Amino acid sequence: MAHGSPSAPFNTSLLGESIYEYQPLDASIREIRLLKIKPPEYGTLPNKALRVECTLHYASLDDSPEYNALSYAWDDINKTVPILLHGHVVRVTESLASALLQLQYYGVTTVWADALFIVWLGPEDAQSGLGMETIRQLGSSARAHGIQSAMKPVWDGSFSGHPHKIEAFVKETIRDYKKSFTFLLPAIYLLVCRSWWTRLWVIQEITLGKNVVVTCGNRTISWLDFCATFSLFDLFLDIGRTSNILSPDLVTLLIGISSRVISNIQVWSGFKQRGSKGLSLLAALSSTCFGKYTQSTDPRDRVFGLFGMLDEPDKAEITVDYSKSGRNIFSEATVALLKYHGPDIFDYCERHSPVGIALPSWVPDWTGRTGFPLHSRMIGLYSASVQLSMESIVMTHYPATGILSLPGFLVDVIHKLGPAYRSRVTDNAEKHAKSIAHWTKEMKDLLSSSNNIAYHCLSQIEEALWRTPITDTIGVARVRRAQPHDKRGYTILLEVAGLAKEENEGLLQARLAGSHVYRTSLDVIQRRAFVSSRGHIGLGPKTARPNDVICIFAGGQTPSILRPTDGGRYQLIGEAYVHGIMDGESIDQTMIPQTIELC
């Protein structure tokens, strides 16, 4: 049983507080501790402040003991309350105490307080009942229409291949709830802002648990209803924005909700789809680092906390050893990933938040927030490196210094940085029109001032200008290479940006609807444009600088941006899209890769 520290102020002398010592567990018989909650009518508690009385029992998992499991967040470990355990006063966090009281109310008697069956979000408040009931109604209705859970990121806005009946149901639901969403969605948002959603360990708990239910105060709903509701929100964004029936405010609310639950839903869904096979290490790590809200007290648990969900080959690569530092564990995990995935793993190294651990630049910081790497959506679409297969690549890791050496090609240098894109994902189409027009003008000016231009005619320059903002791909969940007809969305945005303000609003919106697919495919929002020394247009990390080197590692799908350091080594800055070299155009078959050392 987890319990807090005795640091909260409390008059322990009135309670006769004493120390309770746990009996050690026998690992040879897979022994666990089970907490039994005595019903409220049992006996007489020695003090009114002690509202829960429990006993602790020991059982072997080999005997298949019956119990209910509880998943909860500690919250503030300094805020504790006393319970009675075998006649001893033991302090536990307020969160656990409130959960035990609720279980006592339900008549639940036996609990394993660190596995999963009951997700405890906390006591009820003024908004939680409304949020829970809305999720129950939406989830139940969504499941009845065949909507279960989504593997793709739940805010991605891509819609393809859904049956017409589901599309009709989604549109009807948006229309029915459109006015009430203004107060229903904030209630749901407050629920997903509760601390339980920030715990990394709960992802393993909900994934490995059976018959999961979510409880807040006196209300309980199925975890399946939660998943179906957030999948429905995915479709709201998808279909609602395509059909122009969602306001920007509702889009912002839906994205805010989804961003807080993406790790839990995505990993749970992926694990359930794979059954007993388990997840790959990359799938587990990447899913939990996309959202900035998933946290663990010990950074090492970013790897170890996912161990139980991994497939057997990846489990063999990881040794759970808390005597190792976080730096060593993250480095070893990256080396293991490089064996299977090659240098595309480096695409996760771009830092979107302060680094939690001092790491080599080539090691992803899984404690921070990462973006969506280009290669994760472009598998099979690009091959910037066309010469060497993964089997022929030799990489060497020097643990003492943190140096990694591997073959690659230094193909270009960033000459000038382009403009930052002015709009956000949630901005309306008119703002995107102005932003893409400004971006296009600035990039044309940069090209005209460059000594070299890689594109030999106006049509090639135009191709680079409309394809680069979307990294030459259309879609988000299901991605394909952009085709000539996809330029229409870009053209519409430029034309609308040049219209007078007096233009008929209805006609304007109808015209902008044709740019939806292009707008939802934009990759320029989170990246910085540049022009290279050889005259290529590209998108790189926001932290890119002039004189950074464009490198293509042997076996890599996308180029990387490197920064030279003393001693001839390089720091890895992040991935890049460079128009005109994404299909191996910059690498001659006679070229021999050089050894590049990353620090």
Side-chain angles (χ1 to χ4, degrees), residues 22 80 140 440 520 539:
Y22 293 107
T80 62
S140 177
T440 299
T520 55
L539 295 177

Side-chain angles (χ1 to χ4, degrees), residues 38 102 115 125 174 186 211 247 279 300 408 420 426 454 494 503 517 551 566 579:
K38 295 184 177 180
Q102 197 64 48
D125 60 27
I174 292 175
N211 302 319
S247 69
L279 290 174
R300 295 171 294 186
T426 54
L494 290 185
E503 185 77 16
V517 174
C551 172
D566 296 336
H579 189 78

Side-chain angles (χ1 to χ4, degrees), residues 70-86:
L70 175 69
S71 176
Y72 68 100
W74 281 18
D75 292 335
D76 189 344
I77 63 172
N78 294 314
K79 293 181 179 180
T80 62
V81 295
I83 66 170
L84 202 62
L85 181 64
H86 286 295

Side-chain angles (χ1 to χ4, degrees), residues 310-348:
L310 300 182
D311 57 24
E312 292 305 320
D314 280 347
K315 277 185 178 179
E317 297 286 346
I318 302 297
T319 301
V320 179
D321 182 357
Y322 280 96
S323 68
K324 295 180 180 179
S325 67
R327 176 188 174 97
N328 287 342
I329 292 165
F330 280 34
S331 297
E332 290 173 3
T334 304
V335 171
L337 291 171
L338 284 167
K339 293 180 182 178
Y340 296 101
H341 304 283
D344 289 323
I345 290 300
F346 297 150
D347 295 352
Y348 292 93

Side-chain angles (χ1 to χ4, degrees), residues 246-566:
L246 272 184
S247 69
D249 288 343
L250 289 181
V251 169
T252 301
L253 270 172
L254 287 168
I255 291 176
I257 291 170
S258 298
S259 65
R260 289 181 172 270
V261 301
I262 181 173
S263 295
N264 306 61
I265 303 295
Q266 209 175 14
V267 176
W268 176 84
S269 178
F271 187 87
K272 293 303 182 185
Q273 288 193 19
R274 287 181 60 84
S276 59
K277 294 181 180 180
L279 290 174
S280 70
L281 178 61
L282 178 60
L285 286 173
S286 61
S287 294
T288 57
C289 75
F290 282 143
K292 64 182 179 180
Y293 305 105
T294 307
Q295 302 168 1
S296 61
T297 304
D298 189 334
R300 295 171 294 186
D301 286 336
R302 301 300 299 211
V303 176
F304 295 158
L306 304 170
F307 187 80
M309 298 181 293
L310 300 182
D311 57 24
E312 292 305 320
D314 280 347
K315 277 185 178 179
E317 297 286 346
I318 302 297
T319 301
V320 179
D321 182 357
Y322 280 96
S323 68
K324 295 180 180 179
S325 67
R327 176 188 174 97
N328 287 342
I329 292 165
F330 280 34
S331 297
E332 290 173 3
T334 304
V335 171
L337 291 171
L338 284 167
K339 293 180 182 178
Y340 296 101
H341 304 283
D344 289 323
I345 290 300
F346 297 150
D347 295 352
Y348 292 93
C349 291
E350 185 178 343
R351 316 297 191 199
H352 288 259
S353 58
V355 177
I357 306 174
L359 296 170
S361 65
W362 55 272
V363 176
D365 177 21
W366 301 111
T367 69
R369 183 184 184 185
T370 73
F372 290 95
L374 294 176
H375 87 270
S376 70
R377 296 177 291 106
M378 299 180 181
I379 295 174
L381 295 184
Y382 288 147
S383 181
S385 168
V386 296
Q387 190 175 34
L388 295 177
S389 63
M390 281 299 303
E391 291 76 14
S392 61
I393 298 173
V394 177
M395 290 179 279
T396 306
H397 175 218
Y398 302 93
T401 60
I403 302 297
L404 179 74
S405 69
L406 70 167
F409 306 88
L410 304 181
V411 297
D412 208 342
V413 175
I414 293 179
H415 179 52
K416 294 180 180 179
L417 292 178
Y421 191 73
R422 293 179 173 181
S423 292
R424 301 173 299 174
V425 175
T426 54
D427 283 343
N428 62 31
E430 290 179 76
K431 288 185 178 179
H432 280 292
K434 293 177 181 178
S435 295
I436 202 70
H438 174 264
W439 186 92
T440 299
K441 180 182 182 302
E442 292 290 314
M443 293 306 294
K444 283 183 177 179
D445 291 343
L446 276 180
L447 274 177
S448 64
S449 65
S450 300
N451 294 327
N452 297 311
I453 298 180
Y455 317 112
H456 304 299
C457 60
L458 289 177
S459 62
Q460 288 186 0
I461 293 175
E462 186 70 13
E463 284 281 303
L465 287 171
W466 78 261
R467 290 180 184 270
T468 297
I470 57 173
T471 58
D472 200 18
T473 57
I474 289 293
V476 181
R478 296 182 180 182
V479 183
R480 60 171 173 83
R481 288 292 288 268
Q483 300 299 315
H485 66 267
D486 294 313
K487 182 183 177 182
R488 177 173 175 265
Y490 171 82
T491 303
I492 290 172
L493 292 175
L494 290 185
E495 290 176 349
V496 168
L499 293 176
K501 293 182 179 179
E502 292 77 18
E503 185 77 16
N504 181 280
E505 181 66 21
L507 293 176
L508 184 67
Q509 293 304 319
R511 189 171 181 80
L512 283 170
S515 70
H516 170 78
V517 174
Y518 187 88
R519 282 185 285 114
T520 55
S521 301
L522 285 170
D523 280 307
V524 68
I525 297 173
Q526 299 298 330
R527 295 176 169 87
R528 189 66 183 270
F530 62 81
V531 173
S532 75
S533 294
R534 294 186 176 181
H536 288 97
I537 295 176
L539 295 177
K542 287 185 175 181
T543 54
R545 301 174 187 170
N547 300 318
D548 283 348
V549 177
I550 301 171
C551 172
I552 297 176
F553 289 109
Q557 295 186 61
T558 56
S560 296
I561 302 298
L562 308 183
R563 185 162 297 156
T565 67
D566 296 336

Side-chain angles (χ1 to χ4, degrees), residues 112-144:
W112 181 15
D114 267 331
L116 179 69
F117 171 52
I118 302 166
V119 171
W120 174 245
L121 295 182
E124 198 165 354
D125 60 27
Q127 293 291 313
S128 63
L130 181 62
M132 291 285 283
E133 180 59 21
T134 303
I135 291 173
R136 187 194 66 76
Q137 291 180 5
L138 289 174
S140 177
S141 182
R143 291 172 65 193

